Amino acid sequence: MKLLTTLALATLTVAAGTASAVPTFTTGGTAVAGEGLVTSVAGATTIDFNDGLLPSNYTGSVFTSGHPTYAAQPPNDMTAFYSVGVTNGQITPGMATFNGGLSYFGFYMGSPDTYNSVVFTMGDQSTVTLTGSQIATLGGVSASGDQSVGLYVNAWAGAGAKFTSVAFHSPGQDAFESDNHAFIAAVPEPETYAMLLAGLGLLGFMLRRKSS
């Protein structure tokens, strides 16, 4: 597994192009009855789509039940799930945007296909693409669309970097199904703290001046 991960990351280093930092990708999650796989990363917040609704910062589709011909639930997942594609109300790409950015993002993917891909936009507006074939290689499975195959994908932005959006692509075909998206918000950089403190100091000065 370590060898497979190394090979995939070598490919991603090239795909990253002008990105200021190269993200790290791994597979591995925790099995939960009826939910499939969820993140194993401590401190992460999970979006499980169990209410059947699309979060306001997402575009795409949420299905409350599986439709094997165009949107199959990830294996052992009996709950609502997220999907992008080209039929039955689906769109591609579907995108999740996070104000302030993320240091970590994870998702449970079902039936990986070669035509699936995830595009991560970094804080410097560069992009990094993770293909369905790379995801399958990370997990040691085949990118053949087998609906009995699922794996949890973890992405770390890297030191001093952040993800501002994550786009799920399934061009020309159905579908890219996922669930149990998880994230950790990026920690503001030191200069951001400095600007915030300066602003608070100015506000305090103005309030004291007004009261006097």
Side-chain angles (χ1 to χ4, degrees):
M1 183 66 70
K2 184 175 181 181
L3 176 61
L4 291 174
T5 301
T6 301
L7 289 173
L9 291 176
T11 303
L12 290 175
T13 300
V14 175
T18 59
S20 58
V22 178
T24 300
F25 300 100
T26 65
T27 57
T30 301
V32 175
E35 297 276 356
L37 296 176
V38 301
T39 186
S40 298
V41 176
T45 299
T46 295
I47 302 170
D48 59 20
F49 306 100
N50 286 358
D51 59 5
L53 302 176
L54 188 70
S56 60
N57 61 320
Y58 273 70
T59 60
S61 298
V62 174
F63 293 102
T64 57
S65 61
H67 305 277
T69 59
Y70 61 86
Q73 285 170 300
N76 303 311
D77 186 353
M78 306 304 293
T79 66
F81 62 100
Y82 177 74
S83 186
V84 300
V86 295
T87 69
N88 294 278
Q90 298 179 96
I91 63 170
T92 183
M95 182 176 291
T97 303
F98 297 89
N99 293 332
L102 308 177
S103 61
Y104 164 81
F105 184 81
F107 59 95
Y108 179 38
M109 177 182 187
S111 55
D113 275 294
T114 55
Y115 55 82
N116 298 149
S117 65
V118 189
V119 178
F120 296 85
T121 300
M122 311 297 291
D124 63 1
Q125 300 305 306
S126 63
T127 59
V128 178
T129 299
L130 183 63
T131 68
S133 295
Q134 290 168 336
I135 292 172
T137 299
L138 283 172
V141 299
S142 174
S144 61
D146 186 341
Q147 294 181 6
S148 67
V149 173
L151 62 165
Y152 202 91
V153 181
N154 303 290
W156 284 268
K162 61 184 178 182
F163 303 126
T164 57
S165 68
V166 183
F168 297 84
H169 292 252
S170 185
Q173 299 188 60
D174 291 328
F176 187 159
E177 306 95 340
S178 62
D179 199 358
N180 303 326
H181 294 189
F183 66 90
I184 296 176
V187 176
E189 297 177 359
E191 55 266 32
T192 304
Y193 281 122
M195 292 176 62
L196 178 60
L197 290 173
L200 290 174
L202 178 61
L203 177 62
F205 172 76
M206 294 175 65
L207 290 174
R208 287 196 299 272
R209 185 176 180 181
K210 183 177 180 180
S211 62
S212 63

